[in-house]
Amino acid sequence: IATAGTSVVEEKVYRSPIICILGHVDTGKTSLLDKIRHTNVQGGEARGITQQIGASFIPVENIKEQTKAFAEKVKMEFKLPGLLLIDTPGHESFNNLRSRGSGLCDFAILVIDIMHGLEAQTIESINLLRMRKTPFIVALNKVDRIYDWKPCVNTEFKEAIKLQSRAAAQEFDSKVKETIAALAGQELNAELYWRNKDIKNYVSLVPTSAHTGEGISDLMLVVMQLMQKRMIEKVVFTEQLQCTLLEVKVIEGYGTTIDVILVNGSLNEGDKIVVSGFNGPIETTIRSLLTPPPLRESRIKSQYIQLKSIRAAMGVKIVAPGLEKAVPGTSLYVVNDDDDIEKIKADAKKEVDNVLNDIDTS
Ligand code: GDP
């Protein structure tokens, strides 16, 4: 079975939490994702980072290594198998997912440009996160743009700030204060993460640079810490299927395929599935489960490799007949022998009605 990895701690099996990055355009969402992936690549070899369909998996070994000195200081104990970062921050189908408040993301990173503060889509994002009760932290990005900032490549933020001039440190302080005040204007309490003693009521701010890498390890560690402290029960692996359709794509040689994020449970080749369609529920059978080949085996010529079975959490491409009218942002259901297929179809139909409603009203 291919899996993004689960971990067993105290007899509980955990899946990877699904993390979304969102925020205003140009705040650095894509750059942060790249940096997180890149910082994890050492000596040219991607240590276990796997590119999946629609997501990147960062294994815990990787995060441990990257945050070593830091994790020891805070006596961090890692319980989760890793983090699954959704790849498409600005993607259109993601808007649909966002506004529908689907159960896709366990946790979010809201990116704010430290030089610009709150912008229109920052506020929109905050409202969406609130609506679907998704916990989040703020990456206060582009700290390297602060006047007189001395780049400290890939350094823990608290170390980096110690090395700055008075002027730079002062500007940093004043930008942080401005952001905290602006967030308060949105009725959000916020505090720099190392000063935040009340993680339930205060959002943690993690200063970062997607260019020079300050604060990237802090970001990973804070996400891990919060997931483990506040919502570990949410990422217990179960066979209760939770699977969200991200995109519908025509792929040469395969026909119409759907890209899904398997949030919980497992999927197998040959599974009978129901997907929401614009003209009613689609009943079909999984012909193949596809994923990009591992980086190390890039000599593999084909674009995809086939898997017999996958376990959450993971992004995967599904090949099946009749997917042309599938609706992004809806759930995928597996039909087992003793399931009431009419009930499943009715649920699928309800989801499409909701999505169409959202499109009408947005
Ligand atoms: P997105 O629209 O939120 O995905 O933003 P991008 O990642 O495309 O970044 C927008 C612009 O900001 C690009 O020109 C990036 O190179 C730049 N940028 C992103 N992060 C940083 C950062 O940490 N520091 C600086 N100086 N520039 C950044």
Side-chain angles (χ1 to χ4, degrees):
I1 290 183
T3 173
T6 44
S7 56
V8 186
V9 180
E10 286 152 12
E11 293 180 6
K12 278 207 168 135
V13 182
Y14 296 107
R15 64 172 172 87
S16 309
I18 294 168
I19 316 287
C20 294
I21 302 186
L22 72 174
H24 195 79
V25 64
D26 279 349
T27 49
K29 299 181 290 294
T30 314
S31 310
L32 270 174
L33 250 169
D34 283 349
K35 190 70 186 173
I36 291 166
R37 284 193 293 237
H38 198 75
T39 318
N40 282 281
V41 176
Q42 291 195 345
E45 195 183 1
R47 301 169 52 90
I49 304 277
T50 48
Q51 190 65 34
Q52 301 182 352
I53 298 290
S56 301
F57 174 60
I58 320 287
V60 69
E61 293 74 29
N62 220 289
I63 297 171
K64 270 185 196 165
E65 186 157 328
Q66 194 195 132
T67 60
K68 209 166 178 181
F70 193 3
E72 274 166 17
K73 256 188 277 175
V74 295
K75 298 203 171 59
M76 176 85 177
E77 194 190 324
F78 292 90
K79 293 183 182 168
L80 300 176
L83 301 173
L84 194 69
L85 297 177
I86 299 288
D87 271 349
T88 48
H91 204 278
E92 203 188 323
S93 64
F94 195 69
N95 289 335
N96 191 358
L97 290 168
R98 280 196 323 196
S99 60
R100 285 198 47 252
S102 84
L104 181 66
C105 291
D106 298 301
F107 195 91
I109 299 173
L110 173 66
V111 186
I112 296 178
D113 180 332
I114 191 166
M115 306 307 281
H116 292 173
L118 268 60
E119 299 174 89
Q121 288 160 272
T122 320
I123 294 169
E124 214 175 275
S125 304
I126 291 173
N127 291 333
L128 288 168
L129 291 168
R130 271 203 182 122
M131 195 171 77
R132 65 184 186 198
K133 299 194 172 69
T134 307
F136 64 98
I137 56 168
V138 170
L140 217 41
N141 194 38
K142 306 199 187 183
V143 290
D144 61 289
R145 291 193 52 209
I146 282 174
Y147 176 73
D148 201 29
W149 184 266
K150 287 183 202 61
C152 305
V153 175
N154 299 344
T155 305
E156 179 190 333
F157 188 80
K158 272 197 290 175
E159 299 302 319
I161 192 74
K162 281 184 202 156
L163 303 171
Q164 303 303 321
S165 66
R166 253 181 80 137
Q170 271 171 359
E171 188 180 354
F172 171 75
D173 277 342
S174 85
K175 291 290 177 198
V176 169
K177 281 200 185 107
E178 280 169 31
T179 306
I180 289 178
L183 288 170
Q186 298 299 314
E187 287 162 31
L188 259 187
N189 299 318
E191 186 53 281
L192 284 166
Y193 80 88
W194 61 88
R195 291 191 193 141
N196 188 358
K197 304 286 180 253
D198 181 4
I199 53 171
K200 226 176 136 192
N201 296 308
Y202 280 71
V203 172
S204 287
L205 307 177
V206 185
T208 58
S209 167
H211 276 188
T212 38
E214 293 91 338
I216 301 293
S217 56
D218 311 44
L219 192 65
M220 293 290 90
L221 207 64
V222 173
V223 172
M224 266 285 180
Q225 240 174 354
L226 282 175
M227 277 302 312
Q228 293 189 166
K229 272 194 191 152
R230 284 205 49 207
M231 42 187 321
I232 193 135
E233 288 311 313
K234 205 177 163 194
V235 289
V236 170
F237 178 85
T238 69
E239 278 301 343
Q240 189 79 41
L241 190 81
Q242 212 182 320
C243 183
T244 302
L245 208 154
L246 276 187
E247 275 195 86
V248 182
K249 277 189 196 159
V250 178
I251 305 286
E252 214 190 305
Y254 294 101
T256 303
T257 67
I258 51 173
D259 293 354
V260 303
I261 299 290
L262 178 60
V263 179
N264 220 335
S266 42
L267 286 175
N268 310 288
E269 208 181 83
D271 275 352
K272 204 161 136 192
I273 56 171
V274 168
V275 180
S276 301
F278 282 109
N279 299 342
I282 303 162
E283 207 182 319
T284 183
T285 302
I286 297 178
R287 198 172 275 165
S288 327
L289 295 165
L290 303 180
T291 189
L295 290 176
R296 224 166 289 192
E297 292 169 46
S298 50
R299 63 194 149 76
I300 295 178
K301 283 282 184 300
S302 65
Q303 203 180 348
Y304 303 107
I305 53 166
Q306 283 193 24
L307 305 169
K308 288 271 173 241
S309 181
I310 62 160
R311 264 158 66 99
M314 194 170 172
V316 74
K317 182 183 280 302
I318 295 179
V319 184
L323 293 172
E324 291 73 17
K325 298 270 190 236
V327 184
T330 57
S331 304
L332 177 146
Y333 304 84
V334 165
V335 186
N336 295 309
D337 290 342
D338 48 355
D339 284 337
D340 177 0
I341 186 151
E342 292 312 318
K343 160 110 185 22
I344 291 177
K345 281 183 171 172
D347 289 346
K349 180 155 186 322
K350 221 180 284 165
E351 281 204 41
V352 186
D353 293 345
N354 287 341
V355 169
L356 294 179
N357 239 343
D358 278 351
I359 294 171
D360 282 349
T361 53
S362 61

